[in-house]
Amino acid sequence: MFEKIKKDFTTKTLVLIPIAIAINIVVGELVARLKLPIYLDSIGTVLVGAIAGPWAGALTGGLANLIWGLFTPTSAPFFYVAAVIGFMAGLAGKYGAFEGETPYWVSVLVGAVFVFSLTLFVLAFINVNVDETGYATFPSMGELFSRYLLLFIVAILLGGAIGYFLLQKGGYAGLWGLITGVIAAIISAPTAAYVFGGVTGAGTDLLVAAFRASGGGILSSVLAQGSVSDPFDKMLSFMVVWLILKALPARFKAR
Amino acid sequence: MYVARASGLHQLHPLTKVLTALCLLIAGLTLPGNWTSYCITLLIVFPLSAWGKVFPNLLHIVWIVSLPFAISVLLIQSLFWGAGTPIFEFWLFAPKVEGARYALISLGKIILVMSSFLLFSLTTRPDALMIALKQAGMPSSIAYIIVTTLQIVPSFQRKGATILDAQRSRGLETEGNLWVRARALVPIVLPLALGSLMEVEERAIAIEARAFNSHKAETSLIEIPDTQFQKNFRTVTLVAMPLLMIFGILWRL
């Protein structure tokens, strides 16, 4: 086990990691400068995972947040989330998510299924019933379908469109990004809720406010916010890394 | 981040400062009582920073960074608290006392996390920290990653700006509606990533030529002063941290 982990860390990997962390920081700043409503601050981490394996990815993610924490202390408590993202990127790389091209129908399917389940999740959340004792009951799926049939159809079409126009031939990478985003949302929610009272001081706080307004608790509102914004963000990060790896000359990949 | 001052705090061993900051952080988050984190910040972290002569710097950064948090958490938690005692009612808005209280408690934790981190990073030279960590047994590869990252970030920021300017001069639109701005992303990110990946091999050869993979213990030009008292103090904090965590978990059960 330990020997296997050690094998991930050649000199080239160790050189790659600081560069990847710098890419995280600089791309994060560029995105903020372009005023895009996403973070995209883990592209370098995903890149190391994809090139050098899960353990190198995990180390990159963890160190990135801890080092950046010296400048903005609020990112440090989330270092374990970044480590998991890097690890997932490594697994994705191992299973070939960043290689080759995905058929269009798979990308469409991935997009449609994802936006559909997101809609289901948010609707279930909005329509939750809390009785006087504080016991929450979620509406049944059938009930939701009959009430919001049109919305679900729109969601599936929109998801398909996202798959076709955005994921294009990178469907597998996008799928791994979506899964990673869901995991990141789940594991970061307790820290965000307990240490930071559920806010980040950024635009995504509006989502937290919306979920609080519709009756969610603090932890569940943070989780709901994360499940809406994280998968999309990580999907784009994985997609960008897929593009980078596709554009890399074969000479680099051979090493 | 580092602010050079002649103070007792600056002269402490870097590891003593790291462990103290971590210990204060964990104590503030685990000990019972809603206002513990405020107490620790006001009674321990702020006086320590005054001893290190960096109190104004610390206060300034904490103020800048925590302001958006403070506004956000107060608005969200008091306005959308659900059932509770309203402070006042105006049209649709009825902020709740319980929500505002919860927001203030959270804000205390945020301020504690920031100020204890800053207390350490304002008074510790990064290179001294690296040497101390290496002497304590951290692999030199980790030290290499941290030091190199701190060094290359500014040059990467310049590189990013250069690429942005170059693409703009070729007609890339970076302002306009969301779709226009989103499309500018790939032409900027790809050259940045590809260009920097090309550096990897050069850098790898350069450090391998300087005995990067040698297993001999390194020596350092800078001596880091340490005392027996500080060593004992560090042992105490190392024992205290897991105990605090266990205590905090048991208390809440």
Side-chain angles (χ1 to χ4, degrees):
Chain A
M1 176 75 177
F2 201 68
E3 279 306 303
K4 252 186 160 171
I5 296 176
K6 240 182 166 173
K7 230 174 58 190
D8 269 4
F9 293 97
T10 61
T11 307
K12 272 185 202 115
T13 310
L14 289 173
V15 173
L16 181 62
I17 291 174
I19 291 178
I21 299 177
I23 292 178
N24 277 351
I25 293 169
V26 175
V27 173
E29 284 176 354
L30 279 171
V31 168
R33 221 163 125 184
L34 289 173
K35 297 195 217 62
L36 298 176
I38 39 175
Y39 313 113
L40 282 194
D41 50 3
S42 45
I43 286 180
T45 308
V46 177
L47 193 62
V48 175
I51 294 176
W55 296 107
L59 181 74
T60 311
L63 280 179
N65 273 43
L66 287 177
I67 295 174
W68 201 228
L70 293 174
F71 302 93
T72 51
T74 45
S75 72
F78 293 101
F79 77 96
Y80 65 96
V81 181
V84 170
I85 291 169
F87 193 85
M88 290 293 295
L91 288 185
K94 268 204 170 141
Y95 290 105
F98 297 106
E99 286 155 26
E101 295 180 346
T102 317
Y104 267 91
W105 66 269
V106 175
S107 300
V108 170
L109 196 67
V110 167
V113 169
F114 174 68
V115 178
F116 172 76
S117 31
L118 190 69
T119 315
L120 188 67
F121 178 77
V122 171
L123 284 179
F125 192 86
I126 292 175
N127 289 292
V128 70
N129 293 308
V130 184
D131 58 17
E132 305 88 68
T133 51
Y135 185 76
T137 39
F138 284 95
S140 75
M141 267 174 135
E143 200 181 307
L144 282 177
F145 282 136
S146 54
R147 252 167 77 191
Y148 297 102
L149 187 64
L150 193 68
L151 199 60
F152 278 112
I153 294 173
V154 172
I156 291 178
L157 290 179
L158 182 73
I162 288 179
Y164 191 85
F165 293 110
L166 207 67
L167 288 173
Q168 295 181 5
K169 292 172 181 167
Y172 292 131
L175 176 64
W176 274 92
L178 290 173
I179 297 171
T180 307
V182 171
I183 294 175
I186 293 171
I187 61 175
S188 63
T191 307
Y194 180 67
V195 181
F196 295 107
V199 303
T200 50
T204 43
D205 285 356
L206 288 176
L207 279 173
V208 179
F211 286 119
R212 290 287 280 141
S214 60
I218 295 163
L219 183 63
S220 50
S221 295
V222 174
L223 183 60
Q225 176 266 319
S227 329
V228 173
S229 55
D230 276 15
F232 191 66
D233 184 56
K234 300 303 170 284
M235 177 189 85
L236 287 179
S237 303
F238 275 59
M239 286 286 306
V240 171
V241 170
W242 175 75
L243 279 176
I244 293 173
L245 291 180
K246 218 172 63 159
L248 265 186
R251 195 176 77 91
F252 186 88
K253 273 183 267 186
R255 298 193 297 256
Chain B
M1 260 302 161
Y2 173 69
V3 179
R5 295 278 150 82
S7 83
L9 190 61
H10 281 70
Q11 277 160 21
L12 288 181
H13 194 269
L15 290 185
T16 313
K17 282 182 273 189
V18 179
L19 289 174
T20 311
L22 274 180
C23 210
L24 289 174
L25 188 77
I26 290 171
L29 295 182
T30 56
L31 286 179
N34 286 328
W35 311 101
T36 323
S37 43
Y38 279 109
C39 295
I40 291 182
T41 311
L42 291 177
L43 298 179
I44 306 180
V45 179
F46 282 0
L48 275 178
S49 71
W51 180 44
K53 298 178 185 163
V54 290
F55 182 57
N57 311 54
L58 182 114
L59 209 57
H60 180 68
I61 301 174
V62 167
W63 168 251
I64 290 178
V65 183
S66 63
L67 197 61
F69 270 101
I71 295 171
S72 199
V73 80
L74 270 170
L75 282 180
I76 290 178
Q77 300 300 8
S78 61
L79 285 177
F80 304 108
W81 187 254
T85 340
I87 304 172
F88 60 86
E89 280 181 56
F90 171 70
W91 190 38
L92 282 176
F93 305 109
K96 305 292 187 303
V97 178
E98 290 84 355
R101 192 165 167 263
Y102 179 85
L104 286 178
I105 294 170
S106 309
L107 193 60
K109 289 178 191 154
I110 296 170
I111 292 176
L112 174 70
V113 170
M114 280 193 289
S115 54
S116 53
F117 249 96
L118 287 170
L119 176 72
F120 155 72
S121 64
L122 284 173
T123 59
T124 312
R125 274 173 57 168
D127 51 347
L129 173 69
M130 283 311 120
I131 295 166
L133 282 173
K134 266 195 222 172
Q135 283 168 355
M138 185 180 72
S140 56
S141 47
I142 305 282
Y144 166 79
I145 293 173
I146 299 173
V147 171
T148 314
T149 306
L150 293 176
Q151 283 169 352
I152 65 175
V153 165
S155 86
F156 267 62
Q157 283 166 331
R158 279 196 299 276
K159 209 187 244 179
T162 311
I163 293 171
L164 191 66
D165 285 345
Q167 297 287 43
R168 265 189 193 149
S169 71
R170 296 175 61 220
L172 182 78
E173 302 244 16
T174 56
E175 269 144 48
N177 63 33
L178 184 65
W179 175 240
V180 171
R181 281 177 283 138
R183 273 201 318 194
L185 196 67
V186 169
I188 297 170
V189 172
L190 270 195
L192 180 73
L194 289 174
S196 30
L197 286 179
M198 291 303 121
E199 277 181 30
V200 167
E201 189 169 42
E202 280 173 42
R203 283 175 174 270
I205 292 172
I207 61 171
E208 268 177 358
R210 284 167 177 76
F212 182 69
N213 291 329
S214 162
H215 294 290
K216 290 245 170 74
E218 289 171 39
T219 52
S220 170
L221 261 181
I222 305 174
E223 284 288 327
I224 295 176
D226 201 2
T227 58
Q228 190 57 41
F229 175 74
Q230 287 190 52
K231 277 181 193 155
N232 296 341
F233 181 78
R234 292 205 291 268
T235 321
V236 172
T237 55
L238 279 176
V239 177
M241 280 191 273
L243 287 181
L244 277 170
M245 281 193 236
I246 295 166
F247 175 76
I249 292 167
L250 288 179
W251 182 271
R252 284 173 176 76
L253 283 181

